[in-house]
């Protein structure tokens, strides 16, 4: 773990206020949610349990926490107000880790956990349990007099899963090592009952990533086993174009019910995508490319490109537009490729280096023309702009490939046909 990465003891987080980027208080931290892992790996911190003004407790994923410092937590401002419900694979750090009796690996001596330290992984937004503050002794007077010490997570036994049994908890912990495509492969081969159990145990972001890699029939089946509010949460976590494709497979009444449960902004993006023909630029595009105003700097652009949750295709360039800078935007001005950002000084304005020579795609551009456009200009993504000059989104090469390959290509990959799994 990189030196200088922030480390926080969880007892210092209990009751601290949570603020949005504007400085408005969202609520207070009441607990932290962690997931145990197999193979002696430290527990992963999934998020915070936050009590909002109405005394409702909600879940705040760590991916939406931008800072933990000076007795406060700062969020991205995007908060799901649905009530927190603990899942089988989750552990509450304050409620279940503290005061727990565990053993020191080296001596076998029993100790009591008084506090737990969390630390952010370098160059990522993931957090892990890092250290334990423990007291020796068996309680009562001995507990008060026992020696206290801070130890590495690996020095304590009792906070990891054994790789045995059929519980969804162990299976989900094992899947955590795998890429979404590989998890989808494993899920595809499980029985429907086991598939539903594992899907229910995955967190929303992870399940969204996995659903995007599954065949349509599996997607519909898994979504149908989820409670409607959670299904809406997972659809919100999916890329809008993938969510639109999945919803288009559902009966009209189910589709409308789920769209109504989604956040208005996310639902609007999905509805807009569903209004285009499937095999056109509008039907293929994502509505969430990197968009910057012309007065943004190269440093601003590189910071956006570095976001860990961006696909390589979306991180390859930024789109420069007039305000508003969410799709549909103000006037589209052009693109700046990642390589150009690396060549110019950090203080340069993206408006001064924008490439406007290559015309964008119209939303009704058919798939063959989109394919030719990407191939002719050696691009991994392309802007989609309407008649008024507003940027609607971007078509990426992976979305194009999904529609060029045979409809059952995922099935072939999952079964290893023609060496697809091993790359032969």
């Amino acid at each position: 773990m990189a030196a200088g990465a922030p480390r926080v003891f969880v007892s210092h987080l209990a009751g601290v206020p949570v603020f949005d980027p504007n400085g408005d208080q969202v609520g207070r931290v009441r607990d932290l949610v962690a997931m145990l892992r197999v193979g002696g790996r430290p527990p992963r911190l999934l998020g915070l349990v936050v009590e909002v003004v109405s005394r409702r407790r909600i879940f705040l994923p760590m991916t939406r926490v931008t800072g933990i410092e000076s007795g406060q937590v700062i969020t991205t401002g995007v908060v799901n107000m649905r009530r927190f419900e603990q899942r089988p694979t989750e552990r509450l750090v304050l409620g279940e880790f503290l005061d727990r009796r565990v053993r020191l690996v080296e001596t076998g001596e029993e100790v009591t956990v008084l506090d737990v330290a969390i630390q952010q992984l370098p160059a990522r937004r993931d957090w892990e349990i890092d250290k334990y503050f423990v007291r020796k002794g068996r309680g009562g007077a001995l507990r008060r007099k026992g020696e206290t010490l801070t130890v590495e997570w690996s020095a304590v036994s009792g906070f990891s899963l054994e790789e045995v049994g059929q519980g969804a908890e162990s299976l989900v912990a094992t899947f955590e090592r795998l890429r979404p495509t590989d998890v989808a492969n494993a899920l595809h081969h499980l029985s429907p009952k086991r598939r539903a159990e594992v899907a229910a145990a995955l967190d929303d972001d992870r399940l969204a990533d996995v659903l995007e890699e599954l065949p349509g029939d599996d997607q519909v089946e898994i979504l149908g086993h989820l409670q409607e509010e959670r299904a809406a949460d997972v659809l919100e976590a999916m890329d809008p174009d993938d969510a639109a494709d999945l919803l288009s497979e559902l009966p009209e009444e189910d589709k409308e019910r789920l769209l109504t449960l989604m956040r208005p902004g996310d639902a609007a993006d999905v509805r807009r995508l569903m209004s285009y023909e499937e095999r056109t630029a509008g039907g293929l595009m994502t509505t969430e490319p990197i968009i910057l105003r012309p007065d943004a700097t190269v440093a601003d652009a590189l910071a956006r490109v570095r976001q860990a949750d961006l696909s390589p295709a979306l991180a390859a360039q930024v789109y420069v537009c007039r305000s508003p800078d969410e799709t549909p935007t103000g006037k589209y001005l052009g693109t700046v490729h990642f390589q150009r950002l690396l060549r110019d000084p950090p203080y340069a304005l993206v408006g001064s280096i924008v490439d406007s020579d290559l015309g964008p795609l119209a939303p009704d551009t058919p798939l063959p023309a989109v394919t030719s456009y990407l191939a002719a200009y050696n691009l991994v993504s392309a802007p989609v702009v309407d008649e008024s000059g507003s940027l609607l989104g971007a078509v990426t090469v992976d979305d194009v490939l999904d529609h060029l390959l045979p409809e059952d290509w995922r099935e072939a990959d999952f079964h290893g046909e023609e060496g697809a799994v091993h790359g032969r």
Side-chain angles (χ1 to χ4, degrees):
M1 206 168 283
R7 177 182 291 118
V8 181
F9 280 92
V10 298
S11 63
H12 298 165
L13 290 177
V16 304
V18 178
F19 295 96
D20 66 17
N22 296 323
D24 296 324
Q25 185 170 338
V26 175
R28 290 186 178 275
V29 176
R30 295 306 181 201
D31 215 319
L32 299 89
V33 183
M35 183 180 74
L36 302 183
R37 300 196 281 190
V38 295
R41 302 175 70 200
R44 176 182 168 218
L45 192 66
L46 300 177
L48 308 175
V49 179
V50 176
E51 185 176 279
V52 295
V53 177
S54 62
R55 301 189 67 82
R56 175 189 295 264
R57 295 196 173 192
I58 65 170
F59 177 69
L60 178 65
M62 292 307 293
T63 53
R64 293 176 184 168
V65 172
T66 58
I68 299 178
E69 55 189 18
S70 303
Q72 62 184 11
V73 173
I74 309 298
T75 78
T76 60
V78 180
V79 178
N80 190 324
M81 297 302 291
R82 295 197 180 100
R83 190 180 301 277
F84 167 70
E85 293 184 7
Q86 186 177 356
R87 295 177 186 154
T89 56
E90 296 172 347
R91 297 291 180 268
L92 297 177
V93 179
L94 295 175
E96 300 179 46
F97 279 35
L98 301 194
D99 295 321
R100 181 167 171 171
R101 302 289 294 170
V102 294
R103 294 187 180 276
L104 298 177
V105 173
E106 185 174 348
T107 64
E109 185 177 2
E110 199 172 38
V111 295
T112 301
V113 177
L114 301 181
D115 210 344
V116 172
I118 58 174
Q119 189 169 31
Q120 189 172 23
L121 299 180
R124 296 173 61 185
R125 289 190 291 176
D126 287 346
W127 291 72
E128 288 182 342
I129 300 292
D130 177 46
K131 294 179 182 292
Y132 301 111
F133 180 59
V134 301
R135 171 176 280 140
K136 296 181 178 181
R138 288 186 169 274
L142 286 176
R143 178 175 177 178
R144 289 193 296 273
K145 296 177 182 178
E147 176 190 359
T148 58
L149 62 158
T150 301
V151 297
E152 298 288 339
W153 62 266
S154 55
V156 172
S157 64
F159 285 111
S160 61
L161 293 173
E162 299 295 330
E163 295 184 76
V164 296
Q166 281 293 310
E169 183 177 20
S170 294
L171 194 53
V172 169
T174 302
F175 284 167
E176 201 225 355
R177 305 174 179 178
L178 305 179
R179 293 176 180 269
T181 299
D182 298 321
V183 178
N185 186 0
L187 275 185
H188 179 74
H189 289 96
L190 294 176
S191 68
K193 176 178 179 295
R194 290 291 289 153
R195 188 155 52 233
E197 290 171 349
V198 173
L202 292 170
D203 67 72
D204 292 347
D205 289 337
R206 182 66 160 165
L207 180 55
D209 290 341
V210 172
L211 279 178
E212 292 172 1
E213 303 298 333
L214 279 167
D217 290 347
D218 287 347
Q219 290 181 330
V220 172
E221 175 199 302
I222 288 172
L223 200 71
H225 281 95
L226 301 178
Q227 293 182 350
E228 286 190 341
E229 286 194 347
R230 195 194 171 203
D233 290 343
V234 173
L235 287 166
E236 290 170 357
M238 294 176 70
D239 288 337
D241 53 327
D242 290 306
D245 290 342
L246 174 49
L247 283 169
S248 67
E249 300 292 328
L250 302 180
E252 191 65 29
E253 58 182 21
D254 294 341
K255 179 196 310 178
E256 283 303 317
R257 193 161 54 247
L258 289 171
L259 283 167
T260 301
L261 289 171
M262 292 173 66
R263 287 191 297 264
D266 293 317
D269 285 343
V270 173
R271 288 183 188 278
R272 190 163 72 250
L273 289 168
M274 293 172 64
S275 70
Y276 299 110
E277 292 292 331
E278 181 181 2
R279 297 173 71 84
T280 64
L284 295 169
M285 70 183 179
T286 177
T287 57
E288 298 178 344
I290 303 176
I291 300 169
L292 291 171
R293 298 180 189 180
D295 58 353
T297 66
V298 166
D300 295 329
L302 289 173
R304 293 286 299 279
V305 166
R306 281 197 294 269
Q307 292 179 4
D309 54 354
L310 280 176
S311 70
L314 285 180
Q317 60 278 303
V318 300
Y319 299 93
V320 183
C321 305
R322 299 290 183 191
S323 179
D325 48 8
E326 292 185 359
T327 56
T329 68
K331 181 176 175 58
Y332 167 72
L333 301 177
T335 62
V336 182
H337 194 274
F338 173 65
Q339 287 181 319
R340 179 64 190 268
L341 294 174
L342 294 177
R343 291 197 296 265
D344 281 83
Y347 55 81
L349 301 182
V350 293
S352 67
I353 58 174
V354 68
D355 180 0
S356 58
D357 293 338
L358 189 60
L361 296 170
D364 59 354
T365 305
L367 176 61
V370 174
T371 306
S372 298
Y373 181 97
L374 293 175
Y377 298 110
N378 297 315
L379 300 174
V380 293
S381 73
V384 181
V385 174
D386 66 13
E387 292 180 352
S388 68
S390 297
L391 180 71
L392 300 176
V395 178
T396 59
V397 68
D398 53 323
D399 290 322
V400 171
L401 284 175
D402 278 346
H403 288 76
L404 290 179
L405 292 167
E407 289 188 6
D408 63 346
W409 75 269
R410 293 186 187 277
E411 297 277 352
D413 182 47
F414 287 160
H415 288 94
E417 292 177 17
E418 300 181 4
V421 170
H422 300 288
R424 292 194 299 270

